[in-house]
Amino acid sequence: MVLARSAISLLNRHLPKQAKAVIAGFPDLEDSTIEIARQLVLRQSVSVVVLAEGEVPPSIRRQEPNIDWCSRKSVRGFFHYLTARYIFFTHGLYLSPKPPRSQICINVWHGMPIKRIGYLIGRTPPPSTFGIATSDMFRGLVAKCFGVPDAEILTTGIPRNDVMVRAARRANAIKTQLGIGDKDTKPRLIMWLPTFRQAVRGIVRTDGVAHSSIFGMSDMDTAEFCAFLEEQNCICILKVHPMAPDFPDQIRSDRLRIWREPELRERGVSLYEMLGAADLLITDASSVYVDYLILDKPVILAFPDLEEYRRSRGFALEPVEDFFAGPVVSDYQQLKSAIAETFEADRYALPRSSVVACFHKHRDDRATTRLLDAVLPQQPAHY
């Protein structure tokens, strides 16, 4: 691997660069990847290539005809990488050699670190020219995780959050796309986004307590939960983490749905569009917690294995409880009570505003604009 990385580095240093941007994310069609690509197309200053591991659906290709969709495993994709002036990635590319001076490489990553990442867990992050953060506090923390000076972390915000902020303005339309409610009646949408406990892709590892159920709660009663959701006029969609294994949970209810990427693509809605339309988020150590706070909507932390997670994976922020702007629940009964109480009265509005100020320097939909302004030659977008 060392020899291969050295050979790639040698090629990358000597091949001339073109006015081209290559973008690669995990999963392939994650929101930051698509948002960066779309904004680059509008600027008309570089050609835009998105590298994908899997097959890109024809519907996506038709929606984005000015993006060159290319297989990450192909010779053409590798050549695009070697000849691009700009590289954007979430998890590295082609053994991730150090970028030459002729190439600007931006580590978009996939969120601000609540749990420990990078050097904090003994892993070497892929080298880059710049990383990004959502606030000055996270700027220092991301720099520490990546082992780089603070000056190499740009406090622009995360491109995928632009998608979420815009989606919040058309929440009802997105709920309609998701098949939630009818023209006149829209139930509340609860998004449940747990991070993985057992990773089956990338770095295979176990954090916290692995559970046989996606819900992670031994006392979970899905039939009763569906009845409770109907009483509360709610629909709950649990989105499985892309690195998590398959779970045996079988739910046949319009009130409670378990989705992966295909279910979203079938409805023409991205994860962060759905998140923007949500009225409540349930999560744990996922970076989506940081993102969702931009919207100033309530959050519940469902964390049955909080102490075990602290001992195994560990938190980048400690004590992490100081940064929780919502109730922390450890079992199903507490979860039900927290949902009911949250919709009755938002008691965490004030502490949430304090955490938001710490987490986010910007709360708009211009993170991608700030990022591209910082790394590309100054040229206005062609809207």
Side-chain angles (χ1 to χ4, degrees), residues 117-344:
I117 62 170
Y119 281 108
L120 297 188
I121 55 170
R123 305 291 304 185
T124 302
S128 61
T129 314
F130 298 109
I132 62 174
T134 59
S135 69
D136 292 336
M137 183 203 74
F138 274 123
R139 182 187 192 194
L141 185 53
V142 171
K144 184 178 179 181
C145 293
F146 289 175
V148 299
D150 287 12
E152 293 182 13
I153 306 299
L154 308 173
T155 311
T156 58
I158 303 175
R160 68 188 187 186
N161 289 346
D162 294 350
V163 178
M164 180 181 66
V165 170
R166 291 197 301 268
R169 300 171 190 150
R170 53 187 188 92
N172 281 344
I174 291 172
K175 287 180 179 180
T176 298
Q177 279 185 267
L178 293 170
I180 295 175
D182 53 36
K183 181 179 178 182
D184 301 315
T185 305
K186 289 287 183 281
R188 298 170 174 136
L189 173 59
I190 300 173
M191 283 295 303
W192 193 340
L193 293 170
T195 195
F196 63 88
R197 295 305 188 273
Q198 286 181 301
V200 296
R201 295 191 62 180
I203 304 169
V204 179
R205 59 178 295 144
T206 299
D207 301 321
V209 177
H211 203 282
S212 60
S213 167
I214 182 62
F215 301 103
M217 296 177 178
S218 299
D219 64 337
M220 186 70 190
D221 185 332
T222 55
E224 184 184 73
F225 190 47
C226 290
F228 167 77
L229 290 171
E230 187 166 5
E231 291 172 7
Q232 295 289 319
N233 189 31
C234 294
I235 288 177
C236 178
I237 299 176
L238 190 151
K239 168 64 172 58
V240 181
H241 194 284
M243 293 176 70
D246 291 326
F247 290 91
D249 301 277
Q250 297 293 325
I251 309 295
R252 287 184 171 85
S253 170
D254 287 337
R255 291 290 172 177
L256 178 60
R257 311 172 188 183
I258 300 176
W259 285 3
R260 286 183 177 268
E261 295 297 323
E263 285 81 4
L264 284 172
R265 286 200 296 270
E266 286 173 10
R267 291 158 178 81
V269 177
S270 75
L271 175 60
Y272 270 65
E273 286 177 322
M274 184 163 63
L275 193 60
D279 301 287
L280 169 67
L281 172 66
I282 303 172
T283 189
D284 43 34
S286 173
S287 61
V288 73
Y289 166 67
V290 177
D291 298 341
Y292 191 72
L293 288 180
I294 291 180
L295 303 180
D296 193 26
K297 294 180 181 180
V299 180
I300 295 172
L301 289 306
F303 226 142
D305 59 345
L306 177 61
E307 291 305 322
E308 292 87 351
Y309 201 94
R310 176 178 275 123
R311 288 193 293 269
S312 55
R313 180 62 176 258
F315 298 107
L317 297 170
E318 280 287 22
V320 71
E321 291 87 347
D322 290 352
F323 298 92
F324 284 163
V328 181
V329 302
S330 59
D331 60 38
Y332 167 58
Q333 294 301 326
Q334 290 179 3
L335 175 64
K336 279 203 311 177
S337 296
I339 292 172
E341 290 170 6
T342 295
F343 285 131
E344 184 176 332

Side-chain angles (χ1 to χ4, degrees), residues 26-214:
F26 173 77
D28 286 337
L29 303 178
E30 63 94 29
D31 283 280
S32 282
T33 294
I34 303 303
E35 183 67 11
I36 291 169
R38 287 171 174 164
Q39 293 296 327
L40 283 169
V41 166
L42 288 173
R43 293 190 175 226
Q44 300 182 8
S45 58
V46 295
S47 58
V48 181
V49 180
V50 173
L51 301 182
E53 283 192 356
E55 187 64 32
V56 177
S59 59
I60 299 294
R61 292 178 180 270
R62 288 194 296 270
Q63 289 172 18
E64 308 296 343
N66 295 312
I67 296 173
D68 184 357
W69 303 93
C70 186
S71 171
R72 195 180 306 190
K73 299 175 182 177
S74 67
V75 173
R76 189 167 75 92
F78 183 50
F79 185 74
H80 276 311
Y81 163 76
L82 293 173
T83 56
R85 171 66 172 156
Y86 305 98
I87 304 290
F88 299 83
F89 61 69
T90 61
H91 290 74
L93 268 177
Y94 302 118
L95 301 181
S96 298
K98 182 179 179 180
R101 292 182 179 178
S102 58
Q103 192 175 67
I104 296 175
C105 195
I106 298 93
N107 186 350
V108 180
W109 194 233
H110 59 128
M112 295 298 95
I114 298 295
K115 58 193 173 194
R116 293 191 297 174
I117 62 170
Y119 281 108
L120 297 188
I121 55 170
R123 305 291 304 185
T124 302
S128 61
T129 314
F130 298 109
I132 62 174
T134 59
S135 69
D136 292 336
M137 183 203 74
F138 274 123
R139 182 187 192 194
L141 185 53
V142 171
K144 184 178 179 181
C145 293
F146 289 175
V148 299
D150 287 12
E152 293 182 13
I153 306 299
L154 308 173
T155 311
T156 58
I158 303 175
R160 68 188 187 186
N161 289 346
D162 294 350
V163 178
M164 180 181 66
V165 170
R166 291 197 301 268
R169 300 171 190 150
R170 53 187 188 92
N172 281 344
I174 291 172
K175 287 180 179 180
T176 298
Q177 279 185 267
L178 293 170
I180 295 175
D182 53 36
K183 181 179 178 182
D184 301 315
T185 305
K186 289 287 183 281
R188 298 170 174 136
L189 173 59
I190 300 173
M191 283 295 303
W192 193 340
L193 293 170
T195 195
F196 63 88
R197 295 305 188 273
Q198 286 181 301
V200 296
R201 295 191 62 180
I203 304 169
V204 179
R205 59 178 295 144
T206 299
D207 301 321
V209 177
H211 203 282
S212 60
S213 167
I214 182 62

